[in-house]
Amino acid sequence: MADPVAGSRRPIQAAKGTAAVYAGGHRVPVVQAVAASGSEDVVVNDVRRAFHFQAAQTQADSATHMTAETIIRKGVVGLTDLQNLAPNVTIQSENGGATTNFYVRGVGMQDLTQNNTQSIMTYIDDVAYPLSTMASGMMFDLAGVDVNPGPVGFEHGQADSGGEILIHTADPTSTWHGGVTQDIASYARSRTDLFISGPIARGLSFRIAGQTMHGGGWQYNPQTHAHLGDADEGALRAKVKWTPDSKTDIMLTGHWLQDNSEVVTGKPALNFLSSQFIPTLPYQQAEWDIQPGFAKLIGRSPDLKPSEHNTIWGADLKMSRDLGFASLQSISAYETVREGEFTDADATSAPTGDTYRNINANSFSQELRLASKRASDPLQWVVGAYYNRVRVYQQMWFDFTGYVPKRGYVSETPFHQNQQTFNQFAHLSYRLPYHVTLFGGISHEADDRQLVNLSTIHFASGNAYQPTTVVANFANSGAAANQFSGVLGAQWQATKDLMFYFKVSKGFKPGGFTANNTVVQAQLAPMKPETVMAYEAGFKADIVPNRFRLNASAFYYGYHDQQILGYYVVPSYGPLGRFVNVPKSDIWGIEFSTEIHPLRHVYLTQNFGYERGKYTKFQNVSVAATSAQYAQTGVWSPLYDTYDGTDSGIPKLTLNGSADYRFNPLPSYEWEGGLDWMYRDTQAMAPGGLGQPGYHLPAYFLLGAHMTFRPTKGPWSATVYASNLLNRDYFTTGGMATTTYFWIPGPPRFIGGRFGVNF
């Protein structure tokens, strides 16, 4: 695998046609193509590598690269699991459901309705996923994952303020390969993965992969004795690769997912309604309910548990052509999601905040890139353009029939949103004498979105649930943005194994809307775009090659008009979420990652992230003070607070690492055992939340263990493992719904086994 251009941020991927250059510490096939009479002979050598991603050591970034092996060993099956493998990364489920919120180095946003651009963009095989639910269930048959922090959009895709997550799935192979893996664990959890790949005809190959997940529900209701949290998911991915000649590659990919999984429900942390009793339950117990009339209104079963009912499918076509002086690439993609999600957002058995979301959305994107081809040239460049169009229709339902006398009805808020984005980008680097490289990039992005036909309707409680009041047919709202962003930097390859870099970049993300439970027009006022001015310096060093690697970076972000979910207090109604802009905030921090192979059989890794954030200029509604005033007076009226100088509440310290021991107990067999761990610091869930009980998530530490036995060259492997080995009680995210502030608990201890066969 050739080293990428210095100064670029191109994904580090496996060499084409190989099964794995990813495999830290194991014997893996290294495929070398040798020209012989116009054909290619493949020579396979056995090598032992302690470290991987050697090419990434020459890139001027602080990206975290994860191998497919690491992802499997650490039990990553969803996007939220990735936060356990990278520093200063937070990936959280919204209300425990399929919507995912991303934060990297404190840059991110919380968006239940998914009608805004995320601060961290997710890509699967170079295709951007503008709605986080679209990427659900795709973490199988992987080649690797990269997490890139900082402003992006100068070399590919869409501009963004905080970074990107690049997911690479395995490609078709020119020889036959296949395999199946069965994973069985506590609480009757079952996961099955399979794939088959091989040639169809000369220059034509395919790959089909699938995954199913069932069981695993560990919560139960003490009132009904029903359990909750079972997975019920199936996914397929198919790829066809055609190489008509030596200069052309064409790849067609299609995927499909059906997710009917149950959703873990929250535990109340605060009670805003004095007349409502909030029980204190043991960790694995929870309450939920659904009223028959509400179930009938949304068209679901009266026995419905908190769950998803999602169908996601899409296709993309990637074409590349070697033009001699450069390579041309085209990526066309269409993605669609049909989501029906029920969550008991008040986390009680009372009908005071049950929520149902119906989302129909689709996205079409087209990207063209022209890039320099010869890595030996001192000048490297890439230019391109990206277009994205999104169409969304949503219905948000809230059951407030138990919230009396204030409400006592069901509320529906439907709306349409149309959005299109056009980004043009250029990036170049030039290699000077003495191993110094200068690089820079620029992007211009225009974004236009309209929120149309939004209304709110109230339905009276009772068997009929007839519409009684049309609160409003709200005026349409629009938001347009047109901005430049860019990056400038330098790197110095001091020695073959030591590189320093410094860069300055500006990130941009367009504005958008709040569109959930809307009762007044003021809630629909669009938020402004946000920008991040980022400064970063770092080094990458193989201090003792193949024995000790240390990469480190320091960063400072000037965050302008940060988009956060604040509050808007409606008299005689209460606080409702509304996106607001923080005029100015600051984030700074440090990161390092190290891999150590001190002894023959010992392999250690450790990621360390420390970050601090503060609001330097910000005034907003104090939800704690406003709720306290309501508890005393029974009247909702906003109380504002100044948050200038207040800690923004991002987790200050994140740690994750592993220790493995590998040896050969028999001449042809390998045994591996190890521990992995992670720590996340306290996180505020509302401005000023670090000083308010219930408004922040407690810190937590998790420990896992694994042991694998396999032939060194054989087709099978057997693994036993444990996650949350110490059976800690912890909470992964939180939120507020009407009468309660709740926390979403994480899974207890799981013990399982995995057996896989490959050919």
Side-chain angles (χ1 to χ4, degrees):
M1 178 171 63
D3 284 358
V5 179
S8 78
R9 301 185 71 173
R10 298 173 185 173
I12 305 296
Q13 295 177 281
K16 296 179 179 179
T18 72
V21 289
Y22 301 125
H26 297 296
R27 290 193 180 275
V28 295
V30 176
V31 180
Q32 300 173 336
V34 181
S37 303
S39 63
E40 287 188 348
D41 295 333
V42 178
V43 180
V44 179
N45 297 324
D46 274 350
V47 299
R48 184 173 289 275
R49 295 177 176 176
F51 305 149
H52 33 256
F53 300 117
Q54 186 63 40
Q57 291 298 102
T58 65
Q59 290 190 320
D61 62 25
S62 52
T64 299
H65 305 288
M66 309 170 198
T67 69
E69 180 191 45
T70 297
I71 290 168
I72 293 172
R73 187 173 67 244
K74 295 200 173 183
V76 174
V77 295
L79 289 171
T80 57
D81 298 323
L82 293 175
Q83 72 171 3
N84 300 336
L85 278 70
N88 291 330
V89 172
T90 298
I91 307 175
Q92 295 172 322
S93 167
E94 182 73 32
N95 292 358
T99 301
T100 306
N101 300 315
F102 302 87
Y103 301 82
V104 176
R105 293 179 173 176
V107 179
M109 74 178 301
Q110 180 182 0
D111 185 13
L112 172 65
T113 52
Q114 300 183 82
N115 62 310
N116 298 290
T117 301
Q118 286 277 342
S119 303
I120 312 299
M121 187 60 64
T122 301
Y123 292 81
I124 300 180
D125 293 334
D126 297 326
V127 175
Y129 283 66
L131 277 68
S132 64
T133 303
M134 289 179 170
S136 297
M138 292 292 106
M139 300 290 289
F140 65 95
D141 196 38
L142 299 181
V145 176
D146 305 326
V147 177
N148 287 334
V152 292
F154 317 120
E155 295 180 77
H156 72 99
Q158 189 167 336
D160 221 335
S161 54
E164 58 193 11
I165 295 175
L166 307 172
I167 300 170
H168 318 295
T169 67
D171 285 340
T173 55
S174 58
T175 57
W176 285 101
H177 294 282
V180 60
T181 300
Q182 179 63 53
D183 187 323
I184 299 175
S186 307
Y187 304 96
R189 189 181 70 187
S190 171
R191 298 172 182 154
T192 305
D193 290 82
L194 54 87
F195 79 95
I196 186 168
S197 177
I200 300 174
R202 182 177 179 85
L204 189 65
S205 57
F206 79 101
R207 189 181 190 99
I208 298 175
Q211 180 183 76
T212 64
M213 295 195 294
H214 299 280
W218 53 269
Q219 280 189 322
Y220 70 95
N221 190 321
Q223 297 179 345
T224 65
H225 303 287
H227 71 280
L228 184 68
D230 278 342
D232 182 7
E233 178 182 310
L236 287 173
R237 182 187 301 116
K239 292 186 175 183
V240 176
K241 181 180 180 180
W242 182 35
T243 308
D245 55 54
S246 60
K247 296 184 177 182
T248 307
D249 283 315
I250 300 173
M251 180 92 74
L252 176 64
T253 302
H255 64 87
W256 167 87
L257 167 77
Q258 183 63 49
D259 184 6
N260 298 322
S261 302
E262 296 169 358
V263 171
V264 171
T265 198
K267 299 182 74 66
L270 291 172
N271 179 23
F272 301 145
L273 188 61
S274 58
S275 62
Q276 179 174 312
F277 172 71
I278 301 295
T280 301
L281 299 175
Y283 185 74
Q284 290 186 225
Q285 294 184 12
E287 290 187 355
W288 67 88
D289 80 306
I290 185 168
Q291 297 300 303
F294 184 64
K296 182 178 180 181
L297 195 61
I298 63 177
R300 301 297 301 274
S301 167
D303 299 323
L304 182 67
K305 296 180 181 180
S307 60
E308 303 288 341
H309 182 55
N310 306 338
T311 302
I312 302 169
W313 61 270
D316 59 81
L317 178 65
K318 293 193 290 186
M319 299 181 290
S320 63
R321 176 71 178 178
D322 183 350
L323 303 178
F325 73 99
S327 61
L328 177 65
Q329 186 175 34
S330 169
I331 305 173
S332 307
Y334 180 82
E335 302 294 334
T336 184
V337 58
R338 302 290 184 265
E339 180 176 5
E341 178 185 81
F342 173 59
T343 56
D344 197 307
D346 57 23
T348 73
S349 59
T352 53
D354 300 345
T355 304
Y356 188 79
R357 297 193 300 152
N358 178 46
I359 302 177
N360 293 327
N362 64 76
S363 167
F364 169 77
S365 61
Q366 175 62 55
E367 180 171 358
L368 288 173
R369 283 202 302 258
L370 186 67
S372 56
K373 180 173 174 290
R374 292 182 291 272
S376 59
D377 292 345
L379 177 65
Q380 301 292 319
W381 53 269
V382 57
V383 295
Y386 170 85
Y387 171 78
N388 175 237
R389 187 202 70 179
V390 180
R391 297 292 183 262
V392 178
Y393 173 70
Q394 293 199 33
Q395 292 171 291
M396 299 284 293
W397 301 84
F398 299 89
D399 187 355
F400 300 131
T401 55
Y403 187 7
V404 291
K406 293 295 183 181
R407 301 184 190 176
Y409 51 77
V410 171
S411 176
E412 177 198 7
T413 300
F415 67 89
H416 291 82
Q417 180 166 307
N418 303 322
Q419 174 254 323
Q420 63 179 2
T421 302
F422 186 39
N423 182 40
Q424 312 97 56
F425 53 85
H427 188 279
L428 60 86
S429 67
Y430 192 80
R431 189 166 58 249
L432 300 171
Y434 304 105
H435 309 291
V436 174
T437 299
L438 303 179
F439 60 90
I442 190 171
S443 72
H444 171 262
E445 183 167 290
D447 181 90
D448 180 53
R449 58 190 67 204
Q450 302 88 34
L451 189 67
V452 298
N453 300 328
L454 187 145
S455 62
T456 294
I457 305 167
H458 291 171
F459 298 78
S461 62
N463 293 330
Y465 275 81
Q466 295 298 317
T468 57
T469 306
V470 177
V471 177
N473 291 310
F474 295 98
N476 296 341
S477 187
N482 197 318
Q483 289 200 24
F484 285 92
S485 55
V487 60
L488 287 173
Q491 70 180 89
W492 175 39
Q493 195 73 41
T495 69
K496 179 175 69 71
D497 298 313
L498 177 62
M499 184 269 289
F500 297 92
Y501 71 91
F502 174 78
K503 62 181 177 181
V504 181
S505 55
K506 177 191 175 185
F508 160 75
K509 184 170 86 74
F513 313 101
T514 310
N516 44 39
N517 180 22
T518 304
V519 296
V520 293
Q521 185 71 41
Q523 289 178 258
L524 301 180
M527 58 184 171
K528 296 186 290 185
E530 70 176 24
T531 59
V532 174
M533 198 70 182
Y535 304 84
E536 180 179 331
F539 68 85
K540 296 183 176 182
D542 283 321
I543 297 175
V544 180
N546 216 40
R547 291 288 182 181
F548 181 27
R549 172 179 290 177
L550 177 64
N551 298 340
S553 63
F555 60 90
Y556 169 79
Y557 288 176
Y559 210 164
H560 299 272
D561 292 316
Q562 176 185 358
Q563 301 168 357
I564 70 168
L565 183 62
Y567 294 97
Y568 184 84
V569 179
V570 181
S572 301
Y573 196 90
L576 292 170
R578 184 178 72 168
F579 288 114
V580 298
N581 292 96
V582 178
K584 180 70 170 66
S585 55
D586 299 304
I587 302 172
W588 63 269
I590 58 174
E591 298 170 354
F592 76 73
S593 63
T594 184
E595 296 180 77
I596 307 174
H597 180 30
L599 302 172
R600 180 182 177 188
H601 301 294
V602 178
Y603 300 83
L604 307 173
T605 69
Q606 181 63 59
N607 291 323
F608 171 94
Y610 183 82
E611 58 185 358
R612 295 293 302 269
K614 71 174 182 178
Y615 303 123
T616 56
K617 184 179 180 182
F618 182 39
Q619 289 186 338
N620 193 33
V621 172
S622 171
V623 67
T626 300
S627 299
Q629 176 183 257
Y630 172 77
Q632 293 179 353
T633 66
V635 176
W636 286 114
S637 60
L639 293 179
Y640 291 86
D641 204 348
T642 297
Y643 293 95
D644 295 0
T646 301
D647 193 304
S648 61
I650 57 179
K652 294 181 178 63
L653 180 63
T654 56
L655 301 172
N656 52 76
S658 63
D660 292 295
Y661 188 85
R662 303 166 189 159
F663 75 105
N664 299 96
L666 299 171
S668 299
Y669 292 88
E670 183 177 62
W671 181 93
E672 173 186 342
L675 299 173
D676 57 81
W677 54 84
M678 63 87 62
Y679 172 83
R680 294 187 61 76
D681 216 334
T682 306
Q683 177 187 353
M685 302 305 296
L690 289 182
Q692 300 289 335
Y695 290 96
H696 62 266
L697 297 176
Y700 62 90
F701 172 81
L702 299 178
L703 185 68
H706 64 273
M707 183 174 63
T708 298
F709 185 70
R710 60 189 160 216
T712 54
K713 297 184 179 180
W716 60 269
S717 66
T719 300
V720 293
Y721 64 87
S723 60
N724 191 6
L725 185 62
L726 303 178
N727 204 28
R728 295 289 184 90
D729 297 349
Y730 66 104
F731 299 92
T732 60
T733 187
M736 173 186 144
T738 316
T739 62
T740 58
Y741 206 95
F742 60 87
W743 295 341
I744 301 293
R749 180 193 296 123
F750 271 76
I751 297 175
R754 183 170 56 246
F755 184 79
V757 178
N758 291 278
F759 65 86

